[in-house]
Each structure stands twice: as C-alpha cells, then as structure tokens.
Amino acid sequence: NICNRVYIIRGQQVMLDYDLAEIYGYEVKRLNEQVKRNIARFPEDFMFQITKDEIDFVKSQFATSRNRNMYEGQEGGRRKAPYAFTEQGVAMLSSVLRSDAAIEVNIRIMRAFVSIRNQIYAVKHLNSELETIKAKLELLERNDEDNLEAINDLSEDMRKEIDTIYQAIAALSIKDSVPEDQERPKIGFKTSNKGR
C-alpha cells in the first residue's frame, strides 16, 4: 500500500528512497545513482537526506524489521541515511527513470499523495467543527450557570417578600385588642342637640 509508505518529515509528505526503489522495481543503489546523475533536477525542496532523529521518527511510525535493518546500518542495512523525496521529487523521478512501468507507478504514487492530503484536510476540517461545537457548549454552560444564579437571586427576593407579607399579617393579628368586658368606644359623628 503506497499510502503506508508516505511519511510526514519536516512538515512535508515524503517517500523514502528504499520504498520508492521497491515500488519502482529498482535496487536502492541504482535508483540513487540515477538521481545523482540528474541531481540538478532534485533541489532541496524535492529531495533531502534525513537525519538520525528523523530515522528514529520513521521507525517509531512503522517499526517493521525491514525498517530496523534498513536504517540502523545493521547487517544487510545501509551506511548512509536514506533520501526523502517530496511529492515534486517523486514526480521528477518518473522523468529520470524513463520507463512505462515508472510512469504507471508514478501516477499511483501521485494519487496516494492526493488521497493523503484529502484525508489530512478532512481531519483538520472535522477538528475545526469539533472546536466550534465545544465553544458553543461552553457558552451554553456559562449561560445556564448565569440563568441558575438569576433564578436563585429571584427566589431569594421572592422569599424575602413573602416573609414581609407574613410579618405584616402577623402584626395585624397581634394588634392590641380591647377586652370584651370593656365598653367599646362608639364610632361616628357626635351631634349636639342644643340647636333643637
């Protein structure tokens, strides 16, 4: 699977010379010889040699016995660090290798690069949508907390008003009442009978 041989190194999608040689049906040494004969076609943004740390990173992504032997310089391995080819570098390989099989393989590789790029875009888009949803949920939670606090404040105010009403009713019921054996004062206007 070509997609499994595409790595992200230095922020770019790349394929390593070993994988490319295997896919194209070349020995690594022969592929690199063809590249060196046409080195002017492979500037730094098309091809670069990876560092030991980058080799370790590649091994951690795909820890196969092929990778361990290939990159550690063990028996059957190589002494130089592999070359990484960017998408443009892989496209340039088809012009250097000059065979019908190389062109066909190159088309498949280009499609793999596009597929991976589309997957990365889809993941970034999905992450962006998830961040938007997360922000909206946090806003709703904050609004709910504010609403709950407002309801609690309203409940406290209502409780105080009800207490005030009860106190007023209690004050009215406790009002000094006149004992029953005492005559109640008469209520009304007094008129004088003197004028009759």
Side-chain angles (χ1 to χ4, degrees), residues 155-168:
S155 296
E156 183 67 23
D157 291 345
M158 287 179 69
R159 189 184 60 73
K160 287 178 182 175
E161 287 179 19
I162 291 171
D163 285 348
T164 303
I165 292 169
Y166 279 130
Q167 288 171 1

Side-chain angles (χ1 to χ4, degrees), residues 3-4 15 22 28-29 32 75 82-83 93 110 125 130 132 134 146 154 160 173 177 182 191:
C3 289
N4 290 340
M15 291 188 74
E22 187 177 317
V28 180
K29 184 177 178 180
N32 285 332
E75 188 177 331
Y83 289 96
L93 269 178
M110 292 298 105
H125 183 69
L130 287 174
T132 302
K134 182 180 174 185
D146 292 344
L154 183 62
K160 287 178 182 175
S173 65
S177 57
Q182 255 185 342
T191 57

Side-chain angles (χ1 to χ4, degrees), residues 33-191:
E33 283 174 0
Q34 289 294 331
V35 170
K36 286 177 185 172
R37 283 187 194 126
N38 297 280
I39 198 68
R41 294 179 183 226
F42 295 93
E44 186 77 17
D45 57 331
F46 281 32
M47 179 192 79
F48 55 88
Q49 196 164 23
I50 65 175
T51 65
K52 181 168 184 346
D53 289 340
E54 290 166 338
I55 291 170
D56 293 339
F57 176 71
V58 169
K59 284 192 306 183
S60 71
Q61 287 183 40
F62 299 96
T64 64
S65 60
R66 174 183 62 121
N67 283 342
R68 281 195 295 274
N69 289 337
M70 183 63 201
Y71 304 128
E72 288 182 357
Q74 295 174 351
E75 188 177 331
R78 52 195 286 184
R79 294 183 181 173
K80 290 185 179 179
Y83 289 96
F85 291 81
T86 64
E87 187 173 349
Q88 294 89 346
V90 172
M92 190 60 72
L93 269 178
S94 66
S95 67
V96 170
L97 299 179
R98 294 190 191 143
S99 73
D100 291 339
I103 292 169
E104 185 180 322
V105 167
N106 201 53
I107 290 168
R108 289 195 343 240
I109 292 172
M110 292 298 105
R111 287 182 177 149
F113 274 107
V114 170
S115 173
I116 291 171
R117 193 167 32 255
N118 289 341
Q119 289 173 5
I120 290 170
Y121 173 77
V123 168
K124 284 182 179 177
H125 183 69
L126 184 61
N127 284 341
S128 173
E129 286 183 356
L130 287 174
E131 286 299 320
T132 302
I133 291 170
K134 182 180 174 185
K136 286 180 180 177
L137 284 173
E138 287 174 358
L139 182 63
L140 285 173
E141 286 174 358
R142 264 188 263 124
N143 286 343
D144 284 348
E145 288 173 6
D146 292 344
N147 289 340
L148 187 58
E149 191 175 313
I151 289 170
N152 286 339
D153 290 346
L154 183 62
S155 296
E156 183 67 23
D157 291 345
M158 287 179 69
R159 189 184 60 73
K160 287 178 182 175
E161 287 179 19
I162 291 171
D163 285 348
T164 303
I165 292 169
Y166 279 130
Q167 288 171 1
I169 292 172
L172 287 174
S173 65
I174 297 176
K175 184 178 162 185
D176 291 334
S177 57
V178 178
E180 287 185 27
D181 57 345
Q182 255 185 342
E183 189 178 319
R184 290 182 176 241
K186 294 184 181 181
I187 301 174
F189 292 102
K190 291 186 179 180
T191 57

Side-chain angles (χ1 to χ4, degrees), residues 18-30:
Y18 176 82
D19 291 322
L20 286 166
E22 187 177 317
I23 292 168
Y24 282 114
Y26 277 74
E27 291 179 20
V28 180
K29 184 177 178 180
R30 299 292 167 242

